[in-house]
Amino acid sequence: MVNKCHKFYGNEMRLLEFQAKELFREYGINLLPGVSCTNIEDGRERAKELGYPFVIKIQVPVGGRGKAGGIQSCKNEDEFELKFPQVMGLTIKGENARAILLEKMADIKKELYLSLFLNRSKRCYTVIASSEGGVEIESVKNQVIREVGLGDVPTNVAQEISVAIGLDGKTADDFVDILVKLSKLTIEKEAELAEINPLAIVSDGSLIALDGKFVTDDNSNFRHDELQKYQEKSDIEERAEKSGFSLVELDGDIAVVGNGAGLVMSTLDMLSDNGGKPACFLDVGGGATTESVYEALTLISRMGRVKRILVNLYGGIVKTTVVAEAFLKAYDDGVIDLPVFSRLKGTESEKAKAMLKDSRTKIYDSVEDAINAAVMGAKN
Amino acid sequence: MTDVFELLKGRPEDNDYGKKPVIIQGITGAYGSLHTRNMIQYGTNIVAGVTPGKGGQKFDDVIPIFNTVQEAVDATGAKISAMFVPAKFFLGAAKEALEAGVKLLVAIPEHVPVRDTMEVLNLARQKDAIVIGPNTPGIMIPELIKVGIMPPSPFKAGKIALLSKSGTLLYEIADALTSAGFGQIITIGIGGDPINGTRLIDAFDMVKDIPDMDGLVVVGEIGGDSEEILAQRIIDSGFKKPTVAYIAGRAAPKEKRMGHAGAIVMGNYGSAESKVSMFNKANIPVAKRPAEVPVLLAGKMVKSD
């Protein structure tokens, strides 16, 4: 249904490769020399420091960069001048370049896979390792999966995993070292995922982290000031978060607002079943107040492309008159001039209907009626 | 496992049968005090509150406040606690409750770090305690006891067990059931987090053998695989009572978190299609809209007669 949405992870944050590598470096995980930049002028300076040849890698918070041409080698200045603007200008899965990483190249003998993630069904951290890395995790063969509790991975466990994927000598020693460090990093930052793919064996048998993926848990941010610099949010997302809302932008023309994630999803489903195209998913949280609904309308007014607003609030103990006040205020203040189709379940709904009688907000008794009216309205 | 009914209702020979004592952690906060009053109004026997530093005071001139859960438990014998503390205090408060002997911990806060939840659940397992949530609206036996933030109007005593990941959708579907004459014997909010103290499958195990239960309604949503696991358990256990499901999020885009931390589809994992097909395999119809739930349930009831 949806092709393009703004990035909004809600409760997690995915770091860019160079950011993940900053953390890897801090914890002593072996990397190639590399520098990041955000424009070509800066890039030229960085290129001189690093020295040719090197690769340039687009920094986007999604996978599939290689296939999309986002990783290119540069043997000299001419190639750099040609390729840098091309890579910088790419859009991958709807994401623009946040930065470019310039990184030296290695003589790779083999690519391994290594990750540590918070396993929700097992309720502990789990290591996945394989001697056949370099492809997406779904395609990684011969995975060794090991549950490791909630603490650091002990050296003997790391050694067992290393043996299980068939490593020996210097490579095995390096693997144990990297896994122990990666686990220390993951535990200390309370990450949901730390992935090195590929983890490359180079000519002398040592291991180097060629790529890095690191996903943190936003809910633990209050313990991690040091991760704040990696936060990236659009204005609308930031405002939504400040109000305690959850927002996902979609590509239709009917904004969907409600209280409670399940209820808004349900409304989105019914709207789609009726041929409507949602412009966004906006959950104002369990309660609903004049302020929260007013703020929701303000956010929607800034989205463009929205032609109708569908509101589904299950109040229970919320007075619907309180919500009606928000609509009236939003029209009065000129925040919105769009028609609103709403279903407000709660107390004083007759009074709320009377309040809105002459406004562009219509109140319906059932959500089905509100949806039908919104879809019909959008087609007119 | 500890019997949730015994905790919430007790046995007929108990002195406090049907009015089991409940304590409130975070009773003096805006949210905690609002819902404490609502619970009292519903008939829940709130016997004490806990707010560090406010021990010795009284909430609304009646309910004693203690500095620690241990003191509150010692003074009242309560085994149930409803927790209204901010997410960042969840870990400490939950551990304190479990260490003090609380056997049913209803954790309301949203945005609890996943690691904190895991730590608390490990402790709960050692203590043989039930944790509902975090990020749950709560648990209730309609018209008897409410431990949580649910508005009372949608619920009515009856014979349907209702389990839900979502809060407002729980109210919506309880409302639809009640309007159609299907009261509820128990309702359990699982919570929208990726890790739940009581998963759908645990909640099912809690309710499946209630003799007076006539049917089961499961309200799921996209993300994770708890609905699939539940459907498999229903198949394996030979559970035959009329069961209907509803899944929210069919129209949600992939790889986007839809409000709840747990509501995200990765590939086919967590998708509505996967859940619907597992429920169908278990011979459980899945409603397209909340209003369709009682209709399908009535259909199952006729067939099973």
Side-chain angles (χ1 to χ4, degrees):
Chain A
M1 178 194 75
V2 174
N3 302 316
K4 183 177 179 304
C5 341
H6 273 255
K7 178 177 69 74
F8 185 69
Y9 293 108
N11 286 80
E12 63 177 38
M13 168 170 72
R14 176 174 168 167
L15 271 55
L16 298 167
E17 175 195 5
F18 81 94
Q19 297 168 333
K21 284 181 169 172
E22 265 177 36
L23 294 175
F24 289 176
R25 190 164 277 130
E26 198 184 306
Y27 280 74
I29 292 167
N30 206 11
L31 298 167
L32 293 167
V35 283
S36 64
C37 61
T38 51
N39 57 60
I40 194 157
E41 292 78 19
D42 197 20
R44 287 184 192 113
E45 294 301 312
R46 301 278 94 82
K48 274 181 214 154
E49 291 166 22
L50 194 63
Y52 292 93
F54 53 74
V55 287
I56 54 175
K57 303 168 89 174
I58 189 169
Q59 301 294 290
V60 282
V62 288
R65 295 178 300 169
K67 272 185 208 150
I71 301 175
Q72 301 283 341
S73 66
C74 297
K75 288 195 286 290
N76 51 48
E77 275 175 40
D78 288 347
E79 283 194 4
F80 180 76
E81 292 294 330
L82 178 72
K83 290 178 178 176
F84 190 98
Q86 288 171 357
V87 172
M88 191 78 199
L90 287 174
T91 301
I92 301 177
K93 295 179 186 166
E95 301 288 348
N96 297 323
R98 310 299 203 276
I100 301 288
L101 175 64
L102 282 52
E103 198 170 68
K104 297 298 281 185
M105 290 187 274
D107 180 15
I108 300 162
K109 297 293 172 206
K110 190 172 176 153
E111 296 186 334
L112 312 178
Y113 176 92
L114 176 63
S115 72
L116 199 64
F117 74 102
L118 208 45
N119 188 330
R120 289 166 174 183
S121 43
K122 302 290 182 194
R123 298 172 173 178
C124 66
Y125 278 106
T126 299
V127 175
I128 300 181
S130 168
S131 59
E132 296 170 56
V135 291
E136 293 207 18
I137 177 64
E138 290 80 8
S139 319
V140 171
K141 295 198 183 75
N142 297 320
Q143 295 182 8
V144 171
I145 301 171
R146 177 85 186 245
E147 289 162 28
V148 292
L150 288 177
D152 288 348
V153 174
T155 305
N156 65 316
V157 172
Q159 278 162 347
E160 285 165 27
I161 295 169
S162 156
V163 170
I165 61 168
L167 303 182
D168 56 21
K170 163 85 175 141
T171 309
D173 293 344
D174 271 18
F175 182 86
V176 170
D177 180 61
I178 287 177
L179 177 50
V180 168
K181 285 170 174 167
L182 191 69
S183 116
K184 194 169 181 308
L185 167 66
T186 307
I187 303 287
E188 285 183 7
K189 305 298 181 199
E190 303 185 62
E192 298 221 357
L193 170 73
E195 181 187 77
I196 304 176
N197 183 30
L199 176 60
I201 305 179
V202 293
S203 44
D204 67 351
S206 63
L207 287 176
I208 293 176
L210 285 194
D211 198 353
K213 186 170 167 186
F214 200 75
V215 178
T216 66
D217 174 7
D218 265 12
N219 288 340
S220 67
N221 271 353
F222 66 90
R223 291 191 283 245
H224 297 286
D225 286 345
E226 79 282 7
L227 297 175
Q228 296 307 311
K229 63 180 171 187
Y230 300 128
Q231 284 282 4
E232 177 200 75
K233 287 194 173 85
S234 76
D235 287 349
I236 287 185
E237 287 164 354
E238 204 155 314
R239 275 191 77 162
E241 195 178 293
K242 228 174 238 167
S243 309
F245 297 172
S246 296
L247 171 71
V248 179
E249 288 191 63
L250 307 168
D251 58 1
D253 55 4
I254 302 176
V256 181
V257 185
N259 59 339
L263 187 67
V264 188
M265 273 191 267
S266 164
T267 313
L268 213 64
D269 294 346
M270 289 186 277
L271 177 65
S272 300
D273 287 347
N274 278 277
K277 296 211 172 352
C280 71
F281 163 104
L282 180 54
D283 170 16
V284 301
T289 62
T290 307
E291 291 74 29
S292 69
V293 173
Y294 183 85
E295 177 66 12
L297 295 172
T298 309
L299 287 176
I300 288 166
S301 73
R302 299 186 175 196
M303 270 176 211
R305 87 178 172 279
V306 177
K307 293 202 179 75
R308 307 279 181 277
I309 302 175
L310 173 65
V311 178
N312 186 11
L313 295 173
Y314 195 100
I317 52 176
V318 174
K319 286 184 183 166
T320 49
T321 42
V322 162
V323 178
E325 265 171 42
F327 292 134
L328 291 175
K329 190 169 181 311
Y331 288 120
D332 280 354
D333 297 354
V335 165
I336 49 165
D337 58 358
L338 300 167
V340 175
F341 302 84
S342 73
R343 179 271 192 148
L344 310 176
K345 180 94 184 178
T347 58
E348 298 188 350
S349 61
E350 289 310 312
K351 208 171 147 192
K353 277 183 205 171
M355 282 169 69
L356 292 167
K357 196 161 61 71
D358 299 320
S359 79
R360 299 192 68 195
T361 294
K362 294 282 169 284
I363 298 188
Y364 299 85
D365 289 324
S366 79
V367 67
E368 285 86 351
D369 290 345
I371 286 170
N372 284 337
V375 171
M376 294 307 288
K379 281 179 185 160
N380 287 341
Chain B
M1 194 205 285
T2 318
D3 184 331
V4 75
F5 276 91
E6 203 172 315
L7 283 167
L8 285 171
K9 194 171 181 179
R11 297 176 180 198
E13 64 268 26
D14 294 349
N15 288 331
D16 55 3
Y17 178 64
K19 46 179 192 309
K20 287 288 173 189
V22 176
I23 61 171
I24 307 291
Q25 290 177 262
I27 194 166
T28 53
Y31 203 50
S33 55
L34 167 73
H35 287 291
T36 299
R37 290 183 192 114
N38 287 343
M39 280 185 263
I40 292 169
Q41 201 176 12
Y42 198 73
T44 305
N45 183 22
I46 308 288
V47 292
V50 178
T51 300
K54 296 200 174 166
Q57 298 180 18
K58 288 211 154 114
F59 176 78
D60 283 356
D61 302 326
V62 183
I63 297 165
I65 301 174
F66 297 91
N67 285 322
T68 66
V69 182
Q70 190 68 59
E71 288 170 288
V73 166
D74 290 346
T76 63
K79 288 191 164 22
I80 304 171
S81 173
M83 194 194 246
F84 290 89
V85 303
K88 61 170 139 181
F89 301 129
F90 165 80
L91 179 62
K95 278 175 152 175
E96 194 193 331
L98 295 170
E99 295 289 357
V102 166
K103 293 295 174 199
L104 176 60
L105 182 66
V106 179
I108 308 295
E110 190 179 356
H111 302 304
V112 171
V114 173
R115 266 192 62 91
D116 294 0
T117 303
M118 288 191 180
E119 216 173 308
V120 166
L121 297 187
N122 281 344
L123 182 63
R125 200 176 308 136
Q126 291 164 28
K127 300 280 182 188
D128 193 28
I130 297 170
V131 176
I132 310 268
N135 193 12
T136 176
I139 181 167
M140 77 193 291
I141 297 177
E143 298 178 46
L144 180 77
I145 182 170
K146 172 177 101 155
V147 186
I149 60 172
M150 301 75 87
S153 56
F155 302 94
K156 195 171 185 310
K159 295 191 166 182
I160 304 299
L162 174 56
L163 317 177
S164 175
K165 273 185 174 176
S166 151
T168 39
L169 212 44
L170 167 74
Y171 316 154
E172 179 89 82
I173 288 175
D175 197 0
L177 287 169
T178 297
S179 303
F182 292 113
Q184 305 90 43
I185 196 160
I186 189 167
T187 74
I188 306 177
I190 303 300
D193 272 13
I195 297 186
N196 315 115
T198 298
R199 300 162 296 177
L200 281 177
I201 189 176
D202 303 319
F204 171 73
D205 287 345
M206 287 174 187
V207 303
K208 69 179 179 0
D209 298 321
I210 308 171
D212 293 343
M213 181 179 60
D214 281 354
L216 174 69
V217 172
V218 179
V219 182
E221 64 188 27
I222 52 164
D225 54 9
S226 55
E227 290 84 357
E228 287 89 334
I229 293 170
L230 173 68
Q232 189 61 51
R233 171 66 63 93
I234 290 175
I235 294 171
D236 296 344
S237 67
F239 181 76
K240 289 282 177 267
K241 289 186 179 168
T243 304
V244 170
Y246 175 77
I247 303 291
R250 281 179 289 120
K254 290 193 172 186
E255 294 184 27
K256 296 285 160 190
R257 253 168 232 283
M258 305 304 283
H260 282 150
I264 182 166
V265 178
M266 306 297 279
N268 190 42
Y269 181 73
S271 71
E273 296 78 34
S274 157
K275 293 170 195 305
V276 171
S277 81
M278 262 316 280
F279 276 126
N280 287 340
K281 205 173 141 197
N283 195 25
I284 296 168
V286 181
K288 286 253 178 194
R289 318 171 273 130
E292 203 187 3
V293 170
V295 179
L296 293 176
L297 187 62
K300 291 289 277 191
M301 295 272 184
V302 170
K303 273 186 210 156
S304 71
D305 276 347

